[in-house]
Amino acid sequence: MTEPMMINLALAILFLPLLGFLVTLLFGKRIKSIYTFEIAIIILAFVGAVVLLFTKLSYYQNTDIVSQVSWINLGNVPLLGNTTIDIGILIDNISVLMIFVVTLISMLVHIFSIVYMEGDRLYNRYFAYLGIFTFSMTGIVFTHNMLMMYIFWELVGLSSYLLIGFWYEKKSASDAGKKAFIVNRVGDLGMLSGILLLYTTYHTFTFSQIFSQIAAGHFPLNSEFWLTVTGILLFCGAIGKSAQFPLHVWLPDAMEGPTPVSALIHAATMVAAGVYLVVRIFPLLTSGALMFIAVIGMLSAFIPATIALTQNDIKKVLAYSTISQLGYMVMGLGVGAYKFAFFHLITHAFFKALLFLGSGSVIHAMHHEQDITKMGGLRKKMPITYATFLIASLAISGIPLTSGFLSKDGILQGSFAFGSLTGYWIFAFVGFLVAMMTAFYMFRLLILTFHGEPRDHHKYEHAHESPFTMAMPLAVLAVLSIFIWYTPNPFNPEQGAILSNWIKTPQLVTPQDSRFNFMKSELPANVAVQQVTQNSEVMYSESYTQALEGAHIPSLLLSLTLAGLGILIAFSFYQWKKVDVDKLADSIKPLYKLSYNKWYFDEIYGAVFVGGTLLLSRALAWFDQYIVDGIVNGAATVTRAVSRFSGKFDNVVVDGMVNGTAYVSGFIGLIFRRFQTGKVQTYIVLVVFSLVILLFIFK
Amino acid sequence: MNTISLNYLVDSLKLIKPEIALSITLVLIVLVDLIMNKDKKFLPYVFVAGLLVTVYLLIEQFSTSAFAFTTAPNLGMVIIDPFGNFFKLLIAFATIIVIMFSVLSNEIKEGLDRQGEYYALMSGMILGMFLMASSADLILIYVSLELVSLSSYVLAGFNKNHVRNSEASLKYVIYGGISSGIMLFGISILYGLTGSTNLYEINSLIQASQVHGLTFIVASVLIFVGMGFKISAAPFHFWTPDVYEGSPIPITAYLSIASKAAGFALLIRFIKITFIQSVDPNGFWHLLNVIDWKTFFIIISILTMTLGNFAALWQNNMKRLLAYSSIAHAGYLLLGLTVLSNEGIMAIIIYFVVYGIMNLGAFLVVMLIANKLGSEEIDDYDGLGSKAPFLSVSLAIFLVSLTGLPPTAGFIGKLYIFMALVDAKMIAVAVIALLNTVVSLYYYIRVLKHIFLNDPQKETQVLSTSVASVVFLVVLITPVLLFGIYFTPLVDLAKSSISLMGF
Amino acid sequence: MIQVGLNHFLVVSTALFALGILGIVTRKNAVMVLMGIELILNSANINFIAFAKFGNFGFQGQAMALFVIILAAAEAAIALAIVLNIYKTFSTVNVDEIDTLKD
Amino acid sequence: MNVYDIIFYLFAAITILSAFFVVTTRNIVYSAYYLLFTFFGVAGIYVLLGADFIAMVQLIVYVGGILILLLFGVMLTNRITSVEIRSGSIHVVPATIGVALFAGILLASMWNTEWKSVDTAAPAATTQNLGFLLIHQYTLVFELLGILLLIALIGAASMARK
Amino acid sequence: MTYFPILSFITFLPIVGMILILFIPKSQAVIIKSLTLVITGIQVIAALFILHYYNYSLGGINDPNSFQFIEKFRWIDIAGFSWIGRIKIDYFLGIDGISVPLVLLTAIVTFIATISSWTINKSVKGYFALFLLLDTGMMGVFVALDFFLFYIFWELMLLPMYFLIGIWGGPRREYAAIKFFIYTLFGSVFILLVMIGLYFSSTETLADGTKIFTFNMLAMMNPHNFTQFGILSPLNPNNLRLIAYIFLFIGFAIKIPMFPFHTWLPDAHVEAPTAISVILAGVLLKMGTYGILRVCFPIFPEITQQLVWYIALFGMINIIYGALCAMAQKDFKKLIAYSSVSHMGFVMLGMASLNTLGISGAIFQMFNHGTITAMLFLIVGVIYDRAHTRDLEAFGGLATQMPVYTGFVTLAFFAAIGLPGLSGFVSESFVFLGAFGFGLIRVLTVVSTLGILLGAGYMLWTLQRVYLGSLKEKWTSLTDLTFREYAMFIPLSLIIIFLGVYPSAMLSLMNTSVNSMVKFMADAKVMYSSLAGF
């Protein structure tokens, strides 16, 4: 398979879902079964992705394939010469891996939805939306430039808006869609500013060109500080899309969407786009930016984890867990554990999609009951779902033999190493803490849902195992949550091809003095420049490698212990009921309430930002109507005072004379009218006086 | 002892052929009135015929420049020059149109038995105006002014049984009497200062010797009172709204155009001939340093237009509104004089043509509407747009032109005024004038609002318009629109009319 | 007392002029207003003749005065006719009561 | 102080005082009579200024014509039966102030002016000279006055007739 | 070079139509409507012809030779003695990359508005006659190159607009109409003044070598054409160029409308009938920004450079202020009207950047705003026709009742908030990229980006309030789009999508011109500073 062929294949993968979207949307009304077209398309895309993955990783493992085309030609721009704005696609290991994940999960969700969404009024429309989502996501993955990234970034926002608000008759659903879009836009503003900085500095959007210019010592506004700022601003996009603190509030609400959608976009793909963005721009991140990213990641890992501890909605728990896991990834990137972070992205995609689909299966079985306190004992009724859910729970808790163990441990290892190299132990500390909490709340969820006695017997009676089209995706994902696909050694991910050959930490392009010490290149600067575009292994410095190796065993043991502890506590609380949970909650009531009420983020944002904006807008509208208009219209108050003296004035005002100059003019006119008394002798007196005045002026 | 030279008279009479024709017309009208005791519908046509002859004679001598009734070289009572001829032509045409008005007017028809007097007075008035436009002697100025005034006092009160007609004429006569009295007093002082009543002579006398400032200023200002009264410039405008409202519409129209034109012709001639020192190649006048005419006219014109526009905002009577609007237009016209340049005069002339057409048109429509509705109140115009679409659209065009919006002739008139101002670097004045235009839009558009936007209060019945009035309106609308987009002939006419005798 | 000269006559004429205006402005009766106008015209005539005499300007001044007198007669005739007409329509000749035309 | 001066002051006093009464007397008929004295005084002043012809015209036209006209006006517009034909005044205060200021300016300016003053005896043949002016230099004005009188005639008749 | 005078044709065709309509009896409403449709349709075809024969490589701006479809002949030629009264005015039409998009826009929007006007039943004849007159005025503004002609066209559209709002508008139509009229006239008198001032300051060399004063805008752009002592001449050390610029700018800004001169807009929009709102927002507002680009910038380049920060500042205020005001509205149409204020702010911001991206973005945004806002107003019109209310709170759940309509609504709304793939995105991004590239206004640009957030806020909120949620009982009788409405929405939607995906189609039209403009502005800085040494 030649490179052009691969490009064409990539383009096909990109545009097939769009075709699916258009066809399904336009003929959705007429042809009942048009959704099958969309499903066929996505299967085709998946096959293409597999072929691409295979080809790329087998034959072009160290070659990046780029194809670009000029989208907009700006002509002969003064000072810059001929300028074009290019768009193009980049096929490298990261993108093919990502595309594989995206198309796979998308396909599984499509299949899962066939039964899950059956009978919905807008059945075909739903599949159309899935199509446009897949298209947008694929675009993000394949882009080789920042502009296209932004374009598809926004399109993903749109499709998520459409999908979250799919059941738009429900106010909560359309609210959630709106919230998701707007909160995302907040992050996008930062990203846009970052893009503006990049473009004004480099006059290109293409990553590789930007990187090589940075490596050549050309910075935004000629200062390294602004390079840091650029990095942080771009990362803002990721904060929004990946629902990182403090913009995480939209994701739990987004659970209003159909559950398969949650699995697709709010677990596996769209939210991962933020992480993917950071992965893409990783080379230009300075130590300051990385530190910022790490802190945000840490907070995002921690806060939602605490919230997830107490939630009762099955999907909410998963949502907060998603944020928390994404926080892990972001933190991992922040501490320089690039490979592990991306690895976690992939593994998490599978098991989190599995969890969501599993919960979908449960919800489907329970007739759209989502409260876990009303479930229980479903293990017997839904064995497949239970089994797959259990595997996923183990994976997310980081229990050995699962994929989650491999990737999560990598991140913890990275933060451990980071702590040891820089002294910032906080990341490692929080990482481990969250690992324990994760284990706890996942098993709390599992136990309450599947174990014990059924709490709602009526619903329980009707519960049943899901049909094949729903169970199959669960099985596939469960299989993919096993370690074997990634590495032969369940305790060391780096022995697998994925980490040793496919994912490689890119060469940083930031200046040496704005990197962490351990990241400083030991190669001469000019060599570094040449290596920018090459996909060669870079492992920062010798000391980092050592620290990482040193961290492996301690972090592994620690995380295992903590995860085990978390599971143990969960079992003792909910399965064996050793501790009265309600009593415990009572005894730490403030903390419990804080967690249960999601740290009051929604309330605070609602009051401060939404309320503030609305208040401001109302104030301005009032201002506009009364003050601005009033000022331009002349002194309305003066006029009103005058109107008391002249009854006629009111008539005229009513007559439509509420007008600009008219107020003042009318007033002046009124003065002039006073002279026109109708008495000719008065006129003559006035003439005499004006003559006197004229003579005085001109004497 | 002086000897009387017959040649002196004959030469002079040759130059005042239009005036002679007018006098003959006057006599003819009186005679026809006496002979045709019952049927007087020929009278207006006799008058028009006489006027056509006059027009012919005027055109014949249009570019002549000469003194008539000379007593010494380069002095004369009467001046025949293109400038004067232009105004005479304008007045003659306005008169013809007003006669047509009168034929159509219900108000004039009421006094059918006094038609002869009506036209006789009118012909006396036009004769006075002709002489106003061409006299260079203060005595003649005064007498011709009085001739115009006396006729117009009576005409303003023509329908003597109407309360407002007689009131208008009383106010007019009192106001006019005192104005001309004050003017006469000023003339007497000027005479005392210079020993002459001839403007050219006065000019050369002032150039030759120092004249005492203050008295001279007093005299000039007092003389200006009489002219300011005629052109209704503030603060001598007070009669205008009352008289315009009270008079029959044709007379109002006539006063607002012909009488004003004559007044302007007189004013310009008086200022230019009396006070000129030299004219520079760019056409700017250098006046004798006697009185700061520029500032004087700036004050007067801004006051006039501001007052006219702002007071017009409040009017509910269409005639009164047009009266104030004509005051405002006098202000714009005076702007042309403030520039004190030939360019300014040209602007005034252009403006006058345009103003004449559109103002006559507006009054004509108002009259036709009044004929039908029996009302001039703007409130009664509600819904006229559907009842009488042609009249309404015509009025709209005239009012838009009065506002000065392109592509109507009104815009061209304003354009030239403002060009003159900008060229003279009088930007602040131009800004004030332009803002005035914006104010004026409001009251003009208010009329249109009533016509088109308001729903009729009474039941709708379509008002028919006679063929004669339609033709007549079309005749007036055509130049308003035509000059708006192609004004070369207009400017050419003005250009050939700016030369005053002697300068 | 100084020799009577031009200025004395001018004072007389100015006084007459001022009184004329005063009369026009203050008297209610329209006929009396007309009387005021006549006073003004007379004052101007005094000026003309006085200037002509003292400035030795010839007879123009007198001719002017002559014209003015004739004009005054004509004006008075017309004005009185108008006043009579007013009396017919308003039943009064008080100028200040004739104010139906106003803003 | 010679006779000329005394006569001047006499006439001036008659003129101004009677004019003052014209303006101030409440009885209209009285003020018409005061107007007679004013005209008479003015005629005297004309004579003093050597304008004998004009003085005559003044007497004939003003006293004989205009004044009678005015008196008729008074009579026709008032109920003769009422003994007291009175007329009030308006605007007295503002008018007085305005007129005083105006007259003040006029006087001040005129008083301070250096008028051309040539001391010559009055020429005897005023009438002849005027006549010559009328048919020579002022022919047009003269003719025009004719038309004006015609117009006044027509106008007045038109206004006044029933 | 002789060819068909297409610009005159496209400009005066509506006038011909108007005259024809005047001769059609009042009762033949359908004929009148069809005739108007045909006329505007021909206009669209003519605009497409122009597009087809347009030479992309010619710049225009200040170079008369690179304008296209030029029609130039003496219109007014009055010889003078001395110089007094001499006046020469050319009938000078021509287009370059700045005007072509707007000519196209005018043709399209007018055509769509004609379809939208089909529902007019009151005085049909008058409506369409005025409508066509308005059309001529708008088209003329975009093709005139002589200032005088430009001004005539500029004013020509005032009166029809007044009547169109005043007679066929909503309950407070009279107030809105007169407010519109007075505001815009207030602005245009300043333009008139500056026009005259420029006339007396700039000359044009005739074929025989004599120099005469000129209204030719292109001649005014060359500083060497200015007279020594003209009040607006840069050669004159005491010139009033700064004041004149501000006057001129205010004149145009009122049309944009720029804060704080914008208050006429919400009133006019709310009261105007749908089709007229469409024209107002779609074309009329563009006249202001076009005027600034065509007149203010190239004739006063050095002043522009001085004041660029303020222009950007007002652009920013427009963006934020308009968006916030929109958010508070309860009237659907008023909301859209304020969103126009906000969107036109982008145009100003883009222009202020004085670089290729910014100015291209500004012009492109003008076009896009024209199509998108036209669509938004049509959307309001559709709902108002059916429900007779525009109260946002009164609706809910219309998506269920009118799915196709809601589809178009979604498209238009997302276009308005700058979603990629739709045309608004490209222009807004260009504006930001351009403005951010100009160091002086960088901070303003960053603040302006808030506008897209607020835009998303109010648009989505509206979408939710009106279309999403559960359907209210009283709206169950509403019907979905009719064929006529499809005919309005589909072309606009296609344009919006096409330009979103392939913006080059529009951008390449203007590239050369924009680049020459940027170059001209940059060169002018040097040129004018050297002139100051005179």
Side-chain angles (χ1 to χ4, degrees), chain E residues 154-183:
Chain E
W154 178 274
E155 297 264 290
L156 185 65
M157 101 293 129
L158 284 184
L159 203 67
M161 203 49 163
Y162 168 78
F163 284 119
L164 286 169
I165 297 174
I167 301 181
W168 289 272
R172 287 170 69 239
R173 55 180 190 249
E174 292 160 13
Y175 172 70
I178 200 146
K179 201 168 178 181
F180 162 79
F181 203 164
I182 295 217
Y183 259 89

Side-chain angles (χ1 to χ4, degrees), chain E residues 236-253:
Chain E
N236 181 353
N238 303 320
N239 66 57
L240 301 172
R241 282 171 75 84
L242 179 64
I243 295 168
Y245 186 87
I246 293 170
F247 272 18
L248 198 58
F249 193 83
I250 289 177
F252 290 128

Side-chain angles (χ1 to χ4, degrees), chain B residues 62-81:
Chain B
F62 189 82
S63 49
T64 317
S65 284
F67 291 104
F69 301 97
T70 48
T71 47
N74 290 330
L75 290 179
M77 260 233 155
V78 174
I79 308 166
I80 308 302
D81 58 12

Side-chain angles (χ1 to χ4, degrees), chain A residues 13 90 95 140 340 358-359 460:
Chain A
I13 297 171
L90 163 68
S95 62
I140 289 185
F340 296 115
S359 74
Y460 179 78

Side-chain angles (χ1 to χ4, degrees), chain B residues 249-318:
Chain B
I249 297 174
I251 297 305
T252 309
Y254 198 48
L255 288 180
S256 73
I257 291 140
S259 178
K260 194 169 274 183
F264 262 100
L266 176 57
L267 178 63
I268 293 165
R269 194 183 290 283
F270 173 70
I271 297 294
K272 190 173 179 190
I273 291 177
T274 317
F275 298 94
I276 195 92
Q277 190 169 35
S278 63
V279 177
D280 74 12
N282 281 342
F284 286 97
W285 307 345
H286 296 278
L287 294 188
L288 292 161
N289 192 17
V290 184
I291 167 170
D292 187 0
W293 280 118
K294 199 178 191 103
T295 317
F296 183 83
F297 283 124
I298 288 174
I299 292 175
I300 296 280
S301 66
I302 288 179
L303 191 60
T304 307
M305 74 177 100
T306 312
L307 199 142
N309 279 326
F310 281 68
L313 290 175
W314 293 91
Q315 302 314 319
N316 290 320
N317 182 293
M318 193 61 201

